Amino acid sequence: MTVHDTALVGAANRREVLVSVSAAGLTLGFTVAGKAEAQDTALRPLNAYVTIAPDGKVTILAKTPDVGQGVKTMLPMLIAEELDVAWEDVTVEMAPNDPKTFGRQFAGGSMATPMHWDDHRRVGAVARAMLIQAAATAWNCGPGDCATQAGVVIHKPSGKKRTYGSLALACATVTPPDPKSLTLKDKKDYKIVGRPTRQYDTVKIVTGQPLFGIDQRRPGMLYASIIKAPVFGAKVVSADLDAARAVKGVRKAFIIEGDPNGLFPAGMIGQGLLPSVAVVADNWWAAKKGRDRLNVVWADHPTSAQSSKGFAEQAVALSAGKAQRSVRNDGDVDAALKGAAKVVEAAYAYPFLSHANLEPQNCTAEFKDGKLEVWAPTQNPEPGRQLCARTLGLKPEDITVHMVRGGGGFGRRLANDYMVEAAWIAREAGAPVKLVWTREDDMAHDHYRPGGFHFFKGGVDAAGNVVALHDHFVTYGTHPAVAPSAGMAAHEFPARFVPNLRYEISAMPLGVPTGPLRAPGSNALAFAFQSFIDELAHAAGADPLAFQIKLLGDKAVVGEPPAAFGAGRMRGVLQAVGEMSGWGKKLPKGEGMGVGCYYSHLGYFAEVAHVAVSPEGNVKVKKVWVAADVGHTIINPHGAINQVQGSVLDGLSEALHQTITIDKGAVQQSNFTDYPLMRMSESCPVEVKFLETEFPPTGLGEPALPPAIPALTNAIFAATGKRVRSLPVTPEMLKA
């Protein structure tokens, strides 16, 4: 049996069942066809499909790139559950990038679960129903006389059995049922879904088997290193190519002029092919040594006038003037502030951040007979194929992209700059080439989480109600547009919960590329808004957790889709995390607990952090509690807990350590020495509770991260009385 897993993105306007019976067995799939898609069913992307081979073998073809989030395991579990096979009998393999067959293939936005919870189960259910019908026909009985168990159809009156494999070819005469007509399993009958299951590739990972992009090998393969300007997009004036070529093992060294639109390619995340110099050699170390001798001279570039210090100064100046545009204006903010019992003003700031994937960017490419083949740890293969086609002047159909496992993504590998670089170098080299960036390359040439500045003013009345809130958000971009991932929605909480509320935005020009980082936008906005709400709670003399619950009011839902906010669900996770953490208990001097909550990626999360702060200002996070509402079913509890715990620790690491600083248009950080990640000795226990609610299940790769940061900073305030209004947290901020 072969379960072919796909994770199609797109409007599900119409669903049909496709069936093929051949010597390979029964293949069954869903199409999801929109108006713009081909009417030939052979060209409609398959949302999921399962093949059952006559010999009973099990192979799963997974479509969704896996960068550690576990979709290669989780999505096929859904098919296998409804098909009623033993998970231990399933093998999973990676599909090629093929939009005509699979639709869009990507990993991002925590969307795999909500988009495929229904269809993946139904494709398994249809296959199971067809196998039952084939057995019933063979036994001359009704389908109701048959049951299934672990890949076998059982004739209930007699106990006779037929394996799925033995029935596969007989399905040629079975008409597929309407998927919506089938009754799916009751949750209490699940044997696979809800069972903690290790990631399918775990054994390969821990035994060091070649799996990741950086592991790829090709016959006759050479190695490449590439250098780009410290200032983004600056052109090459000169390079000592002969010095590089003189290094033993170096085959070629050449200048790449780059794509004139490579810094900000239209409609794509990240960068394209930038001006650079490449060195190709027999081994990577020789390529790196050759690169070190290039002595590249770079042209002047306008971005060299930009700096983090300058941005901060501009932000203060902009905040003092009229905002460039209004995002939301409810009630009369100025009048409400004048009548407030207490008014709080505060300025918050957060820095640029790098993705810092543990596996640096890399790609293996082979150009032969006018066709290109690449092996890339990409989250977003089809835009990479299109980028290579456009840049190299190829037809997209002449490019094959093999998706290989990525050593962390977090949004970085939604871009494909490393793919187009490897493709270009392979064509110039005339041989298969593996391009591997250094850690310094990775730090200096990211698309960064944008920094930002919030200038808040809020008021509470004598009863402790928030009566007014104003935020002038100073971000990056060219008015009226903002840079990628640098915006703020009009419904950003607590909008709709404060009667007098005004959101305004001003933007500063930016030559530094930005883009999505795990929980884009939310990973910064949660810190600013949830911290300021905590300030308002203290100004009101209220318990911060009770204040948050009160602010949410008594409605179940506020607003309309797609901007609806489940206030009842957020109250539920706040109450749960309060109970889990023993909120309100007395703590020793120098310790404190803080709370943060946030809705993103369809998930509702509330978190409490318990910290201890030494007189020297060092922060030790003792524990974090997480209450989550992501619907009624956790498909793989092992993966779910892993994602939540990892998100929390990721957020704490960002808050305690990480900043990207721009000076003269270039990134100043270069490696983990000056851009440290949280070490194991700093990590803390993270206790997770999933609330079982009536809502469909949602994704978990991102929504646990945003509230971890304000939970930490609010706990620091509770411990020290010192408010953290800028990140990262440093001992100098907190010294006694």
Side-chain angles (χ1 to χ4, degrees):
M1 179 190 60
T2 305
V3 181
H4 288 239
D5 162 49
T6 70
L8 178 70
V9 176
N13 296 332
R14 183 155 55 97
R15 289 180 173 81
E16 293 183 5
V17 176
L18 299 181
V19 176
S20 171
V21 179
S22 66
L26 167 67
T27 299
L28 180 144
F30 273 160
T31 66
V32 180
K35 293 179 181 178
E37 293 175 328
Q39 294 307 301
D40 180 357
T41 57
L43 297 180
R44 294 186 194 143
L46 290 172
N47 190 48
Y49 67 89
V50 54
T51 298
I52 301 159
D55 62 3
K57 288 184 179 180
V58 179
T59 305
I60 297 185
L61 187 62
K63 167 217 167 174
T64 309
D66 199 316
V67 287
Q69 80 278 37
V71 291
K72 187 177 177 181
T73 305
M74 180 271 293
L75 289 177
M77 288 172 67
L78 297 174
I79 302 172
E81 179 65 72
E82 289 294 337
L83 182 56
D84 203 2
V85 294
W87 178 248
E88 292 73 18
D89 293 337
V90 172
T91 301
V92 182
E93 294 179 357
M94 202 68 220
N97 176 58
D98 184 354
K100 286 186 177 180
T101 300
F102 301 112
R104 187 180 173 200
Q105 296 166 271
F106 85 113
S110 299
M111 294 304 295
T113 297
M115 298 188 78
H116 308 299
W117 162 253
D118 186 70
D119 281 350
H120 276 56
R121 290 182 302 141
R122 290 194 181 278
V123 75
V126 170
R128 177 175 170 269
M130 292 181 68
L131 291 161
I132 288 175
Q133 182 60 59
T137 300
W139 290 327
N140 195 27
C141 68
D145 290 330
C146 301
T148 61
Q149 183 177 350
V152 173
V153 181
I154 303 167
H155 184 238
K156 292 187 287 187
S158 68
K160 290 186 294 187
K161 297 180 180 180
R162 290 282 301 270
T163 65
Y164 283 2
S166 70
L167 294 164
L169 300 184
C171 288
T173 60
V174 176
T175 301
D178 179 357
K180 291 296 183 182
S181 71
L182 299 176
T183 300
L184 300 178
K185 283 187 178 181
D186 190 280
K187 185 175 180 179
K188 65 179 175 55
D189 296 323
Y190 287 164
K191 298 181 179 69
I192 296 173
V193 171
R195 185 182 77 182
T197 303
R198 72 183 183 192
Q199 284 201 27
Y200 184 77
D201 289 327
T202 295
V203 172
K204 291 182 179 179
I205 294 169
V206 300
T207 57
Q209 296 182 45
L211 182 68
F212 294 89
I214 208 166
D215 296 326
Q216 302 306 305
R217 299 284 189 275
R218 299 294 299 158
M221 187 178 76
L222 301 177
Y223 295 79
S225 184
I226 192 168
I227 184 170
K228 290 175 282 192
V231 178
F232 303 93
K235 294 183 178 181
V236 179
V237 174
S238 65
D240 194 343
L241 300 179
D242 289 337
R245 293 167 183 154
V247 173
K248 183 179 179 180
V250 169
R251 298 287 191 93
K252 290 193 175 186
F254 48 87
I255 293 172
I256 300 172
E257 296 296 335
D259 181 345
N261 299 311
L263 185 57
F264 300 111
M268 288 194 175
I269 296 171
Q271 297 81 63
L273 187 66
L274 295 178
S276 50
V277 185
V279 179
V280 181
D282 294 332
N283 58 73
W284 185 84
W285 186 241
K288 173 64 167 58
K289 287 176 67 178
R291 165 185 156 165
D292 291 343
R293 296 189 182 185
L294 285 169
N295 297 313
V296 184
V297 176
W298 303 100
D300 292 335
H301 193 278
T303 299
S304 62
Q306 297 181 353
S307 69
S308 293
K309 181 181 178 183
F311 290 140
E313 292 170 350
Q314 289 181 65
V316 172
L318 285 168
S319 73
K322 180 181 171 72
Q324 293 172 358
R325 66 183 175 98
S326 174
V327 177
R328 189 182 193 101
N329 193 3
D330 297 337
D332 189 333
V333 172
D334 295 331
L337 286 170
K338 288 180 181 178
K342 289 188 178 180
V343 174
V344 179
E345 289 190 66
Y348 280 80
Y350 41 83
F352 293 94
L353 293 178
S354 174
H355 294 81
N357 307 132
L358 289 184
E359 179 193 25
Q361 309 315 313
N362 66 88
C363 181
T364 299
E366 184 169 355
F367 186 84
K368 187 176 181 180
D369 299 329
K371 296 183 185 297
L372 175 68
E373 195 167 2
V374 298
W375 292 259
T378 176
Q379 292 178 246
N380 206 11
E382 182 57 21
R385 187 169 75 129
Q386 297 296 330
L387 175 63
C388 290
R390 186 175 69 243
T391 306
L392 276 70
L394 301 174
K395 296 178 181 178
E397 55 267 30
D398 288 335
I399 301 174
T400 300
V401 178
H402 301 278
M403 298 180 293
V404 293
R405 190 179 179 99
F410 313 117
R412 175 59 181 91
R413 300 185 205 273
L414 289 169
N416 289 287
D417 42 353
Y418 47 89
M419 187 190 296
V420 73
E421 289 171 356
W424 187 278
I425 294 168
R427 186 177 68 175
E428 296 300 306
V433 169
K434 180 195 289 188
L435 170 69
V436 179
W437 288 19
T438 65
R439 176 61 56 197
E440 289 78 9
D441 296 334
D442 211 33
M443 203 70 69
H445 292 284
D446 204 339
H447 60 261
Y448 303 90
R449 193 286 300 272
F453 305 85
H454 293 262
F455 298 88
F456 288 116
K457 194 171 185 178
V460 294
D461 63 17
N465 300 302
V466 183
V467 294
L469 190 146
H470 174 219
D471 176 30
H472 186 172
F473 175 29
V474 180
T475 184
Y476 299 94
T478 302
H479 178 68
V482 297
S485 299
M488 181 176 75
H491 54 263
E492 179 68 30
F493 185 80
R496 302 176 291 189
F497 293 86
V498 176
N500 305 286
L501 182 141
R502 183 166 66 239
Y503 288 162
E504 298 174 309
I505 290 181
S506 296
M508 302 175 283
L510 180 68
V512 177
T514 64
L517 170 69
R518 193 177 199 174
S522 306
N523 56 33
L525 297 172
F527 158 64
F529 278 91
Q530 285 289 299
S531 295
F532 188 65
I533 288 171
D534 197 75
E535 290 204 52
L536 293 174
H538 284 277
D543 173 83
L545 192 148
F547 187 83
Q548 291 264 19
I549 292 173
K550 181 181 180 181
L551 179 59
L552 288 162
D554 56 8
K555 291 183 179 180
V557 179
V558 173
E560 299 294 330
F565 184 92
R569 300 177 73 180
M570 192 63 84
R571 289 194 301 271
V573 292
L574 280 165
Q575 290 163 350
V577 82
E579 295 169 2
M580 293 168 63
S581 63
W583 180 266
K585 62 190 175 187
K586 186 173 177 59
L587 298 173
K589 183 180 179 181
E591 296 188 16
M593 295 174 74
V595 63
C597 64
Y598 205 76
Y599 166 73
S600 72
H601 298 84
L602 305 178
Y604 293 82
F605 280 75
E607 302 176 18
V608 168
H610 177 191
V611 307
V613 183
S614 72
E616 295 75 27
N618 296 308
V619 177
K620 173 63 179 176
V621 185
K622 299 174 74 70
K623 187 169 183 178
V624 175
W625 294 265
V626 180
D629 180 351
V630 290
H632 54 64
T633 301
I634 302 299
I635 298 167
N636 182 4
H638 179 84
I641 291 172
N642 175 280
Q643 287 299 296
V644 172
Q645 291 177 335
S647 293
V648 168
L649 296 178
D650 201 0
L652 297 180
S653 182
E654 292 174 3
L656 291 170
H657 297 303
Q658 294 166 20
T659 182
I660 288 292
T661 306
I662 308 299
D663 187 41
K664 297 179 181 178
V667 169
Q668 299 305 291
Q669 289 70 26
S670 62
N671 210 313
F672 293 138
T673 52
D674 51 8
Y675 192 85
L677 307 183
M678 176 178 276
R679 307 302 294 263
M680 287 190 212
S681 60
E682 299 176 275
S683 65
C684 64
V686 179
E687 182 180 328
V688 182
K689 179 178 182 179
F690 295 108
L691 276 61
E692 187 174 325
T693 59
E694 62 185 5
F695 303 95
T698 60
L700 279 167
E702 293 160 281
L705 189 151
I709 299 173
L712 167 71
T713 56
N714 293 338
I716 290 172
F717 176 79
T720 65
K722 297 182 179 181
R723 185 62 68 177
V724 175
R725 296 194 180 103
S726 65
L727 296 175
V729 180
T730 65
E732 289 71 27
M733 295 177 178
L734 307 176
K735 284 181 180 178

